[in-house]
Amino acid sequence: MTITGGSVKCARSFSEAAHVRNTLRWDLSPDEFRSQTESLITRVKKFYDNVGSLNLDDVSVENTLETLAEAKLEYASSRHVLDFPQFVFPSKEIRSASTEADKTLADFDVEISMREDVFKRLTALQAKLQVDVSPEGKRFLDRLVTLGRRKGLHLSKEVQEQIKVTSKLISELCIEFNKNINEDNTSLVFSEHELGGLADSYLSGLERTADGRYKVTLEYPHYYPLMKRCHNPETRRKMETAFHSRCKEVNSTILEQLIQLRAKVSSLLGYSSHANYVLEINMARNAYTFYETLKPIGIKERKYILALKKRECLMRGQHFDGIINAWDLPYYMNQVEQCKFAVNKDKLIEYFPLHVVTEGLFSIYQELLGLTFSEVEHAHVWHHDVKLYSARDTDTGQEIGHFYLDLHPREGKYGHAACFGLQPGGRGPDGKRRLPVAAMVANFTKPRKNWPSLLQHHEVETYFHEFGHVMHEICSKATYSEFSGTLVETDFVEVPSQMLENWVWEKEPLRRMSRHYKDGSPIPEDLLDKLIASRVANTGLMNLRQVVLSKVDQTLHSSSFADTAQVFTKHYQDILGVPATPDTNMTASFSHLAGGYDGQYYSYLWSEVYSADIFFSRFKNEGIMNPKVGKEYRKVILETGGSVDGMVMLKSFLGRTPNQDAFFQCKGLTNSLLLPPPLSV
């Protein structure tokens, strides 16, 4: 929701670290949040006022386009110190101050995006411009004009005012929606018997109540292992119900308001729906086209899971209800991996200590992309768990950017895994390049006495994915901050990070990022083979769930009113073939719908077509650790950012138009023998 070889060195001096501290401050008081927000608005508004006051005949690249480029760089470079702390700061007071700053700045975003006086200067410049600008400069100008039209600046004052008021309300509601999720601290209490099937390492990490029971939160390191391993169906039902009831009342109301407001704006702009409005500037249309291919696979997988459930119920003396419930899916999908592929998850996790995975991940990325990472000593950070790194080009030694790693859960922290762009790269007004800064935020299990932080393999995959966004951010060489890093088409933004997930399914990289947490021994060859073979486990159901979320998103944003819980329930049953848990509403905690993916969630699945094509066509064929291909990838895809169309980048790197062949190969959908065999009960 944007992200050679050897270990990382701590080579940075204190003076260099101080430079980073001065760039991004993390010690603001609540009062400073307010004063700096006001100061930033005043500074940026002055840039826009200067452009808006120009005589139409006098507009030029220098006084219009470059002035706005400077304003956007200044704004983006200063804004995130104010709006990012709401997601990560330990202090609730600071999180609240950051949220308020974000609301104020979101209002200002709407104001500056709807400056008709500035829009008129841009269209005047576009009309007179011939060759007096670079290709990227022309793309920047065309983008500003397109965005102005998409804000209705060519329409009447009355319509513009309606759009402005409604857009401000949308921004405020989105902030509230995500704040509610981040601040949720729901927990449940279970006896040891109710947590049957869970490993001692899991139980030892739980807080105990006065009567000796276990407190289980809804944070990822608690929720997902329980849902996959606990053989008590009632415990899983309670957890699933609580997880998909987070913020149900307040956020269901907010989301349904958002749907109405987005539909209103789209109608004012002349679009039939919000979905059609947002899809206009993307590369593709939706992910529902995969449904017919995935449907028969899903049917066979459900039959296999139902047989597994029936067998287990007989073995444990439990009632078999004849259906797959939502709380059954993760548990029996995990069973499929064990039954069909014999993957021992309890054994496997012992080989992925977080510090070893980090070391291996860094080694792979450095070698592949021609980079060198160094930890910044004495860095000023927002929590003692956080680390700051510098990235340099290995050949030239030139520093290209910085990134933070914030990898463990805590109260009030963003609950998913994501890359946050904190400072864009771009050419400053002095002609010098501003270095990009990004932060990877995740929720991996914290180390504790006698236990290091051990990752499930799917968490290793998440790590590679989000760190891919980080590389996209810091490798960017776009001239304009508007095109820095992940600022590409929404259905291209996941491509670079999804492509790099492939390394966690290949032997050489897996060996690099793993060793036993006790004795340092490598993963046994047979366990490695089973893990890699299990990549195609549950292919149909996992991808159909993505189709469900894409279809829910599209349905909600193709109408002017929706009962969100009802829409989710319908598509979950129709597409996945599983009933949603009664009295829950998954969409109330579906942060993507209020985080920039509204009407565009399909992009996660659709972009896998591109990422699979890149990996199988180039890296798999020419060497997954081939530095020549890696550096070409860095240059063509990562460094370019959004300065050219995503499809142009793809064609350049592939040497042809992308196709779906590799996607289906990757998913194991080209060979019916990969489907689960019949199960005897």
Side-chain angles (χ1 to χ4, degrees), residues 447-464:
R448 57 192 185 277
K449 187 179 180 180
N450 301 325
W451 288 99
S453 175
L454 299 175
L455 302 189
Q456 299 280 355
H457 181 259
H458 74 85
E459 293 179 303
V460 177
E461 188 174 42
T462 295
Y463 200 166
F464 261 71

Side-chain angles (χ1 to χ4, degrees), residues 1-171:
M1 248 163 186
T2 202
I3 55 193
T4 25
S7 59
V8 178
K9 301 177 283 263
C10 297
R12 298 289 304 273
S13 69
F14 183 82
S15 61
E16 288 179 292
H19 168 73
V20 178
R21 280 204 308 276
N22 291 334
T23 303
L24 297 177
R25 282 185 60 195
W26 304 114
D27 56 356
L28 300 180
S29 68
D31 286 341
E32 285 180 300
F33 273 92
R34 287 187 287 271
S35 63
Q36 291 212 14
T37 298
E38 293 169 2
S39 173
L40 176 58
I41 288 173
T42 299
R43 296 197 311 273
V44 173
K45 185 175 181 298
K46 187 174 181 180
F47 283 107
Y48 280 78
D49 289 344
N50 289 340
V51 172
S53 64
L54 290 170
N55 186 301
L56 289 173
D57 294 331
D58 295 335
V59 295
S60 67
V61 170
E62 291 72 23
N63 66 22
T64 302
L65 197 63
E66 295 301 329
T67 297
L68 293 176
E70 183 179 349
K72 285 180 174 291
L73 180 59
E74 168 71 12
Y75 187 48
S77 298
S78 302
R79 172 169 182 156
H80 298 308
V81 176
L82 300 169
D83 66 16
F84 176 62
Q86 68 184 297
F87 299 104
V88 295
F89 252 67
S91 164
K92 187 168 185 176
E93 184 182 25
I94 295 298
R95 294 199 303 271
S96 295
S98 175
T99 299
E100 290 307 310
D102 194 11
K103 289 179 180 178
T104 302
L105 292 168
D107 273 359
F108 182 61
D109 290 340
V110 176
E111 290 286 347
I112 58 174
S113 71
M114 298 196 66
R115 288 284 297 259
E116 187 182 9
D117 54 347
V118 173
F119 177 70
K120 286 180 177 177
R121 272 74 192 166
L122 289 167
T123 54
L125 178 61
Q126 190 181 52
K128 69 187 290 189
L129 199 61
Q130 297 298 323
V131 292
D132 187 28
V133 68
S134 67
E136 188 178 339
K138 185 177 186 307
R139 181 176 174 83
F140 180 39
L141 175 59
D142 291 345
R143 174 177 171 79
L144 293 177
V145 172
T146 297
L147 292 177
R149 288 187 173 278
R150 287 174 59 76
K151 290 292 183 181
L153 298 183
H154 59 300
L155 302 175
S156 70
K157 294 281 189 185
E158 180 185 355
V159 171
Q160 286 184 43
E161 187 59 29
Q162 289 186 65
I163 292 172
K164 182 186 294 187
V165 171
T166 310
S167 297
K168 286 183 177 181
L169 183 53
I170 288 171
S171 296

Side-chain angles (χ1 to χ4, degrees), residues 165 200 248 343 404 442 474 657 663:
V165 171
D200 289 342
K248 185 179 73 171
V343 177
Y404 296 89
I474 69 167
T657 300
F663 171 80

Side-chain angles (χ1 to χ4, degrees), residues 272-285:
S272 60
S273 69
H274 179 69
N276 285 335
Y277 169 72
V278 296
L279 293 177
E280 183 183 55
I281 56 173
N282 282 342
M283 296 168 64
R285 287 298 173 260

Side-chain angles (χ1 to χ4, degrees), residues 423-570:
Q423 180 170 284
R427 184 184 61 203
D430 56 0
K432 295 181 180 178
R433 181 164 188 79
R434 299 275 182 88
L435 297 185
V437 182
M440 180 184 158
V441 177
N443 288 276
F444 302 138
T445 305
K446 282 179 69 71
R448 57 192 185 277
K449 187 179 180 180
N450 301 325
W451 288 99
S453 175
L454 299 175
L455 302 189
Q456 299 280 355
H457 181 259
H458 74 85
E459 293 179 303
V460 177
E461 188 174 42
T462 295
Y463 200 166
F464 261 71
H465 176 97
E466 298 303 339
F467 199 75
H469 284 309
V470 172
M471 292 297 96
H472 201 181
E473 290 282 0
I474 69 167
C475 288
S476 174
K477 285 191 174 181
T479 300
Y480 297 100
S481 63
E482 187 82 355
F483 300 131
S484 180
T486 58
L487 296 176
V488 297
E489 297 98 327
T490 303
D491 54 354
F492 188 75
V493 71
E494 298 297 332
V495 172
S497 49
Q498 285 177 336
M499 196 282 292
L500 290 154
E501 290 176 21
N502 288 284
W503 272 254
V504 308
W505 295 102
E506 298 285 337
K507 277 193 176 181
E508 182 185 348
L510 280 168
R511 290 192 184 103
R512 284 201 197 191
M513 66 181 87
S514 63
R515 59 176 179 268
H516 199 275
Y517 78 97
K518 286 184 178 177
D519 58 18
S521 59
I523 298 181
E525 193 73 11
D526 66 324
L527 185 56
L528 200 58
D529 288 337
K530 290 170 183 174
L531 170 63
I532 293 170
S534 74
R535 185 175 192 177
V536 298
N538 305 303
T539 286
L541 292 174
M542 286 194 298
N543 287 283
L544 281 171
R545 184 178 183 276
Q546 287 295 85
V547 174
V548 169
L549 298 180
S550 302
K551 187 64 175 175
V552 167
D553 175 35
Q554 287 286 301
T555 302
L556 294 178
H557 290 107
S558 295
S559 61
S560 57
F561 172 80
D563 180 329
T564 53
Q566 187 180 65
V567 169
F568 178 78
T569 298
K570 179 183 185 304

Side-chain angles (χ1 to χ4, degrees), residues 287-312:
Y288 201 63
T289 52
F290 298 125
Y291 174 59
E292 291 303 323
T293 303
L294 295 168
K295 182 179 178 180
I297 316 297
I299 290 171
K300 292 185 179 182
E301 289 176 353
R302 284 200 306 273
K303 287 180 179 178
Y304 187 71
I305 282 176
L306 200 57
L308 278 175
K309 180 177 178 178
K310 184 177 183 180
R311 184 172 71 175
E312 176 152 331

